[in-house]
C-alpha cells in the first residue's frame, strides 16, 4: 500500500508472519482446543492432552483442515480468508475460532474514514492501539472512550477496509501476561457526525487559549510597587527629581507617599524640598516646549519653501505640455503620443492645483494667527480667465465662512463674560473689563476685515458677471458679422450680374495673373498633404518661406474667389473656434 502498511485484501493472506516462535503458536492452538502440530503434521508438544484445552467438548482439530490458515485449501469466493497470529511490540493478536460465525459487517458508506473498535483490554493504552492499527495505514487521531472502546480515524478510505480485517482477533498484552483473559476486538464502521464534534471542541479550546495568550501579551504590565517612606528612600527620590530621565518615576513615588499620609511634622521639610524640586522642573518643561515650538516653526518654513519650489516646477511642466499642444508641434505627433500628452497634462494640472490649495491653506492659517497685523493681499492683478475668477470666489467664500464662525465664537465669549461679570468681585471686574476691551477691539478688527472681504467678494462677482456678458456680446457680434458677410457677398454677386453681364461672360476666370496661378498650385499641393485642413496663418507661414512679400489678405481673397477649389470650415467650440481651409478641387471638378 501507499503508506507502507501491510496489504489486507481478501485475495491474499494478510499480515502473514512466519511461525518463528513455536511456543506462542502452541499456546494459541491450545487456547483454541487444537493439538499443537507443525506445518508437516508432527506434534509440537508430545505430551499434549486435548481434554485439558480451554475449549472443552471440541475434538482435536487437524492443522491440515481448511480454515486454519496453515495449508489453506482453495477458498470459495463467499468465504473469508483465514487469519493468523500477529505479533506486535506490546501485544499479540490471536485468530478467532474458525467454527464461530464471522462478525456482522455492513457496507462502508462513501467518504467514511472512521472505525469503531470495541472489546479493548483493561490495560490497553493509546500506544497499544496505535501499534496495532498503524499497520493498516496512517492514523490521524484516536478518540478513546471511558470504557473499553475507541474511535480511530484514518487518512484514506481504503485503510478502513484493512482495519475491519482485525475484527474478532483476541488481544493479549505483554505487560501483564496471564493477568486477564484475552479480549476480542470488535471493529466496525462509525458515523462521522459525533466524530467531527471532537475536532471542533479542540479547535475552539485552542482558539480560546491562543486568544488568552494574545490578551496577556498586549496587556499593559502592572506598575512596580512603590517602596515605603524612609530617610534613605527620601534622599534617593530627591536626587531622581533633579534628573530629567528619572523624573517621571520619582514624581509618581512622591505622589503615592503624599496620598498614603507620610507627611507629618518630622518629614514636612523633606517633602517641601521635593515639591520645590518638582516646581523647578516646570521651568525646564517650559523651555523644552519653547524649543520644540521653534523647531516646528522652522520645519513649517522649510516645508513652505520646498512646496513653493515644487509649485514652480509644476508650472514649468504644465507650460511645456501647453506649448506641445499647440498646432505647430501638435500635428507632428502621432495619435497615441497626443493622447499620452493630454493625459499627462491633466494629471500635472490636478497635482499642481492640490499643492496650490495646500500652500494657500498654510498661508491662510498664518494670516489667522496674526490678529494685530493687517496683511495686504495683492488685489491689483486681475485675471481675465473665468476659471481663475471662480476659484478665487470659492476661496473668498470659505474665508468668509471661517470669519463668520470666529465672529460667532467671539460673540459667545463676550456673552459669557457679561454673564459672569455680575457674579465676580470688584477686583475681578477690572480684569474682566480689560478682557472685554481686548475682545471688543479684536471683534471690531474682525468685523472690519469681514466687511473688506465681503466687498472684495462682491467686486469679484460683478467682474465675473461682466466677463460673462462681454463673452455673450462677442458671440452675438460674431454671428451678426457672419450674417452681414454672407448677405453682402450675395448682394455684390447679384449687382455684378445685373450691371455688367457682358464683362462677366468675358472675364469668367477668377485667376487674373500667372502669379495667382502659381499660388493656387502651391496652396493646392500644401492642402492636399493636410487632409484635415489648415488655418490661413499656417498656409501663409509656408508661402512666406518661398516669397516674403506674400501677405495673408491676398491669399485669403484668392482662396475665397476659388470656391470650387478651396472650402472654408469652422472647427471647435466657444473660445477654441478656428477657421480651417480644405482642398476640394476634385469635388468642384465634378460640379463644374
Amino acid at each position: 500500500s501507499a503508506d507502507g502498511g501491510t496489504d489486507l485484501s481478501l485475495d491474499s493472506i494478510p499480515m502473514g508472519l512466519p511461525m518463528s516462535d513455536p511456543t506462542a503458536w502452541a499456546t494459541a492452538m491450545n487456547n483454541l482446543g487444537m493439538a499443537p502440530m507443525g506445518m508437516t503434521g508432527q506434534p509440537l508438544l508430545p505430551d499434549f492432552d486435548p481434554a485439558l484445552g480451554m475449549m472443552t467438548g471440541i475434538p482435536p482439530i487437524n492443522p491440515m483442515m481448511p480454515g486454519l490458515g496453515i495449508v489453506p485449501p482453495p477458498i470459495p469466493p463467499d468465504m473469508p480468508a483465514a487469519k493468523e497470529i500477529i505479533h506486535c511490540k506490546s501485544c499479540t493478536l490471536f485468530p478467532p475460532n474458525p467454527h464461530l460465525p464471522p462478525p456482522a459487517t455492513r457496507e462502508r458508506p462513501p467518504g467514511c474514514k472512521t472505525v469503531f473498535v470495541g472489546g479493548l483490554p483493561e490495560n490497553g493504552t493509546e500506544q497499544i492501539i496505535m501499534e496495532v492499527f498503524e499497520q493498516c495505514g496512517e492514523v490521524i487521531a484516536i478518540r478513546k472512550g471511558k470504557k473499553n472502546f475507541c474511535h480511530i480515524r484514518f487518512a484514506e478510505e481504503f485503510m478502513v477496509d484493512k482495519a475491519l480485517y482485525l475484527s474478532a482477533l483476541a488481544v493479549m498484552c505483554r505487560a501483564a501476561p496471564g493477568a486477564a483473559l484475552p479480549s476480542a476486538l470488535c471493529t466496525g464502521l462509525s458515523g462521522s457526525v459525533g466524530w467531527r464534534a471532537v475536532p471542533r471542541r479542540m479547535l475552539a479550546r485552542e482558539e480560546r487559549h491562543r486568544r488568552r495568550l494574545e490578551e496577556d501579551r498586549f496587556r499593559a504590565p502592572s506598575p512596580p510597587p512603590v517602596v515605603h517612606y524612609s530617610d534613605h528612600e527620601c534622599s534617593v527620590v530627591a536626587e531622581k527629581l533633579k534628573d530629567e530621565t528619572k523624573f517621571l518615576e520619582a514624581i509618581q513615588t512622591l505622589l503615592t507617599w503624599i496620598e498614603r499620609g507620610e507627611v507629618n511634622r518630622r518629614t514636612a521639610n523633606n517633602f517641601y524640598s521635593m515639591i520645590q524640586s518638582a516646581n523647578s522642573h516646570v521651568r525646564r518643561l517650559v523651555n523644552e516646549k519653547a524649543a520644540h515650538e521653534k523647531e516646528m516653526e522652522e520645519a513649517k518654513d522649510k516645508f513652505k519653501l520646498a512646496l513653493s519650489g515644487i509649485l514652480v516646477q509644476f508650472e514649468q511642466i504644465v507650460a511645456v505640455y501647453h506649448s506641445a499642444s499647440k498646432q505647430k508641434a501638435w500635428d507632428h505627433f502621432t495619435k497615441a503620443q497626443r493622447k499620452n500628452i493630454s493625459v499627462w497634462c491633466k494629471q500635472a494640472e490636478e497635482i499642481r492645483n492640490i499643492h496650490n490649495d495646500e500652500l494657500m491653506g498654510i498661508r491662510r492659517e498664518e494670516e489667522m494667527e496674526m490678529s494685530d497685523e493687517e496683511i495686504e493681499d495683492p488685489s491689483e492683478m486681475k485675471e481675465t480667465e473665468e476659471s481663475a475668477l471662480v476659484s478665487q470666489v470659492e476661496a473668498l467664500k470659505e474665508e468668509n465662512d471661517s470669519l463668520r464662525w470666529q465672529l460667532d465664537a467671539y460673540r459667545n465669549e463676550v456673552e459669557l463674560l457679561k454673564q459672569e461679570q455680575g457674579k465676580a468681585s470688584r477686583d475681578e471686574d477690572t480684569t474682566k473689563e480689560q478682557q472685554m476691551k481686548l475682545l471688543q477691539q479684536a471683534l471690531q478688527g474682525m468685523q472690519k476685515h469681514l466687511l473688506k472681504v465681503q466687498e472684495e467678494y462682491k467686486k469679484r462677482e460683478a467682474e465675473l458677471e461682466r466677463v460673462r456678458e462681454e463673452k455673450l456680446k462677442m458671440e452675438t457680434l460674431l454671428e451678426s458679422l457672419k450674417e452681414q458677410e454672407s448677405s453682402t457677398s450675395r448682394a455684390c454677386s447679384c449687382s455684378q450680374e445685373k450691371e455688367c453681364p457682358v464683362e462677366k461672360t468675358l472675364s469668367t476666370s477668377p485667376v487674373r495673373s500667372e502669379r495667382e496661378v502659381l499660388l493656387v498650385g502651391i496652396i493646392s499641393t500644401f492642402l492636399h498633404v493636410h487632409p484635415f485642413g489648415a488655418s490661413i496663418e499656417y498656409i501663409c507661414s509656408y508661402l512666406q518661406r518661398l516669397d516674403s512679400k506674400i501677405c495673408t489678405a491676398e491669399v485669403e481673397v484668392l482662396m475665397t474667389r476659388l470656391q470650387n477649389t478651396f472650402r472654408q470650415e469652422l472647427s471647435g467650440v466657444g473660445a477654441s473656434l478656428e477657421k480651417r481651409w480644405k482642398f476640394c478641387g476634385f469635388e468642384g471638378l465634378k460640379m463644374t
Side-chain angles (χ1 to χ4, degrees):
S1 61
D3 56 352
T6 310
D7 189 7
L8 300 178
S9 63
L10 296 177
D11 298 334
S12 62
I13 299 174
M15 298 184 186
L17 294 173
M19 292 187 296
S20 58
D21 190 1
T23 305
W25 179 251
T27 304
M29 296 182 73
N30 185 20
N31 293 336
L32 294 174
M34 298 182 296
M37 300 183 72
M39 295 291 294
T40 57
Q42 72 275 13
L44 296 176
L45 298 176
D47 52 350
F48 175 74
D49 187 2
L52 300 177
M54 293 182 65
M55 300 176 65
T56 59
I58 300 177
I61 301 173
N62 189 356
M64 304 303 292
M65 294 176 63
L68 297 180
I70 300 174
V71 182
I75 302 173
D78 56 344
M79 293 294 291
K83 301 180 182 179
E84 295 183 355
I85 298 176
I86 301 174
H87 296 280
C88 301
K89 293 181 180 180
S90 303
C91 62
T92 305
L93 304 179
F94 297 99
N97 189 356
H99 294 283
L100 295 177
T105 58
R106 60 186 178 91
E107 186 180 356
R108 178 174 57 82
C112 181
K113 299 180 182 179
T114 307
V115 294
F116 169 81
V117 181
L120 294 174
E122 294 292 337
N123 54 352
T125 60
E126 289 189 8
Q127 182 180 1
I128 296 174
I129 298 169
M130 179 67 74
E131 185 179 347
V132 172
F133 284 94
E134 70 181 356
Q135 304 178 39
C136 304
E138 182 183 355
V139 177
I140 295 179
I142 297 175
R143 179 189 174 190
K144 196 172 183 302
K146 295 181 179 179
K147 296 185 178 180
N148 301 334
F149 72 92
C150 69
H151 289 82
I152 302 175
R153 188 169 183 84
F154 292 96
E156 300 295 337
E157 296 180 20
F158 68 89
M159 301 175 184
V160 175
D161 298 331
K162 295 183 180 181
L164 292 176
Y165 173 79
L166 300 178
S167 181
L169 292 179
V171 183
M172 178 175 286
C173 298
R174 295 178 183 175
L181 295 177
S183 57
L185 289 179
C186 176
T187 59
L189 301 174
S190 175
S192 58
V193 177
W195 174 259
R196 289 175 184 169
V198 177
R200 289 199 193 99
R201 290 197 296 269
M202 292 174 61
L203 292 175
R205 189 162 53 250
E206 292 177 358
E207 183 65 25
R208 288 195 300 271
H209 181 65
R210 192 181 302 109
R211 193 183 302 115
R212 193 177 299 111
L213 290 178
E214 289 292 330
E215 292 176 357
D216 293 341
R217 189 164 62 89
F218 287 106
R219 185 182 294 115
S222 57
V226 179
V227 296
H228 292 281
Y229 176 81
S230 64
D231 294 337
H232 174 69
E233 294 295 337
C234 180
S235 61
V236 172
V237 171
E239 292 297 329
K240 288 183 179 180
L241 287 171
K242 297 176 183 178
D243 191 358
E244 295 181 2
T245 58
K246 301 178 181 179
F247 177 79
L248 190 60
E249 179 185 357
I251 199 70
Q252 187 66 32
T253 305
L254 177 61
L255 177 62
T256 306
W257 285 349
I258 294 174
E259 289 178 351
R260 285 179 182 175
E262 299 288 346
V263 182
N264 49 36
R265 290 185 178 180
R266 186 177 64 83
T267 60
N269 294 329
N270 295 333
F271 276 98
Y272 179 77
S273 62
M274 288 189 288
I275 293 171
Q276 190 175 5
S277 300
N279 185 35
S280 63
H281 189 71
V282 174
R283 190 180 298 106
R284 293 200 299 266
L285 293 177
V286 171
N287 295 333
E288 187 176 356
K289 180 188 174 185
H292 287 306
E293 287 180 351
K294 186 177 179 182
E295 291 178 359
M296 187 177 66
E297 294 294 334
E298 292 177 355
K300 281 185 179 179
D301 294 338
K302 289 181 181 179
F303 176 71
K304 190 167 64 176
L305 291 174
L307 192 59
S308 60
I310 291 170
L311 281 174
V312 171
Q313 295 178 13
F314 269 118
E315 292 291 343
Q316 296 295 330
I317 294 170
V318 172
V320 169
Y321 289 144
H322 285 308
S323 62
S325 302
K326 292 183 180 179
Q327 188 176 4
K328 291 183 180 180
W330 192 255
D331 292 338
H332 298 287
F333 294 116
T334 61
K335 187 179 290 185
Q337 291 172 349
R338 293 175 184 174
K339 185 177 179 181
N340 291 334
I341 290 172
S342 61
V343 170
W344 294 339
C345 183
K346 289 180 181 178
Q347 293 177 353
E349 288 178 350
E350 291 177 358
I351 298 172
R352 180 197 61 183
N353 294 333
I354 291 171
H355 285 75
N356 193 8
D357 294 340
E358 189 175 357
L359 185 60
M360 292 298 294
I362 294 171
R363 290 176 179 174
R364 280 198 294 270
E365 289 179 359
E366 292 178 353
E367 291 174 0
M368 295 298 293
E369 290 176 358
M370 300 170 65
S371 59
D372 295 334
E373 298 179 2
E374 294 183 358
I375 302 174
E376 297 180 359
D377 296 328
S379 59
E380 297 178 357
M381 299 178 64
K382 297 181 180 179
E383 299 180 358
T384 57
E385 296 182 0
E386 185 177 356
S387 61
L389 289 172
V390 170
S391 63
Q392 289 182 2
V393 168
E394 291 177 355
L396 289 171
K397 282 182 179 178
E398 294 178 357
E399 190 173 0
N400 189 10
D401 294 337
S402 64
L403 290 172
R404 189 180 295 109
W405 294 336
Q406 290 184 1
L407 184 62
D408 293 337
Y410 281 125
R411 284 175 180 173
N412 293 332
E413 290 182 1
V414 170
E415 290 177 359
L416 290 174
L417 290 172
K418 286 180 179 179
Q419 292 176 2
E420 294 176 357
Q421 187 177 5
K423 300 178 181 179
S425 60
R426 295 180 180 179
D427 296 332
E428 295 177 353
D429 289 342
T430 55
T431 57
K432 286 186 177 180
E433 286 178 0
Q434 293 177 358
Q435 290 179 359
M436 287 284 293
K437 289 180 181 179
L438 292 174
L439 288 172
Q440 286 178 358
Q441 291 176 1
L443 185 62
Q444 290 176 359
M446 293 295 294
Q447 288 178 349
K448 291 179 181 179
H449 190 56
L450 180 61
L451 291 173
K452 288 182 181 179
V453 171
Q454 289 178 351
E455 290 176 359
E456 188 174 357
Y457 172 66
K458 292 179 181 178
K459 289 180 182 179
R460 295 290 184 182
E461 282 188 344
E463 187 176 356
L464 182 61
E465 292 293 333
R466 187 172 64 255
V467 170
R468 289 176 179 171
E469 291 176 359
E470 290 178 358
K471 183 179 178 181
L472 292 174
K473 289 180 181 178
M474 291 296 293
E475 289 179 354
T476 54
L477 183 62
L478 183 61
E479 292 178 357
S480 63
L481 287 175
K482 287 181 182 178
E483 292 176 357
Q484 290 179 4
E485 185 179 356
S486 61
S487 61
T488 51
S489 61
R490 291 173 186 172
C492 292
S493 61
C494 293
S495 62
Q496 287 178 2
E497 288 178 358
K498 291 178 181 179
E499 291 176 0
C500 52
V502 180
E503 292 180 0
K504 182 179 179 181
T505 54
L506 293 176
S507 59
T508 56
S509 176
V511 182
R512 299 174 183 176
S513 62
E514 186 177 0
R515 173 182 172 83
E516 291 183 353
V517 172
L518 292 173
L519 287 175
V520 169
I522 295 169
I523 294 170
S524 301
T525 305
F526 180 77
L527 291 178
H528 185 65
V529 176
H530 296 77
F532 296 104
S535 62
I536 190 67
E537 292 83 3
Y538 192 21
I539 297 170
C540 292
S541 64
Y542 177 74
L543 293 174
Q544 285 175 358
R545 294 180 182 176
L546 304 176
D547 187 4
S548 59
K549 297 179 181 180
I550 295 174
C551 61
T552 306
E554 179 184 0
V555 176
E556 189 171 5
V557 169
L558 177 62
M559 294 175 72
T560 52
R561 278 191 277 139
L562 300 172
Q563 296 181 359
N564 293 328
T565 307
F566 306 105
R567 182 174 69 251
Q568 187 180 17
E569 294 182 353
L570 294 174
S571 63
V573 179
S576 62
L577 193 66
E578 186 180 6
K579 295 180 180 180
R580 287 180 176 268
W581 289 91
K582 292 186 179 181
F583 177 72
C584 59
F586 299 109
E587 300 173 0
L589 183 64
K590 296 178 183 179
M591 295 173 62
T592 55

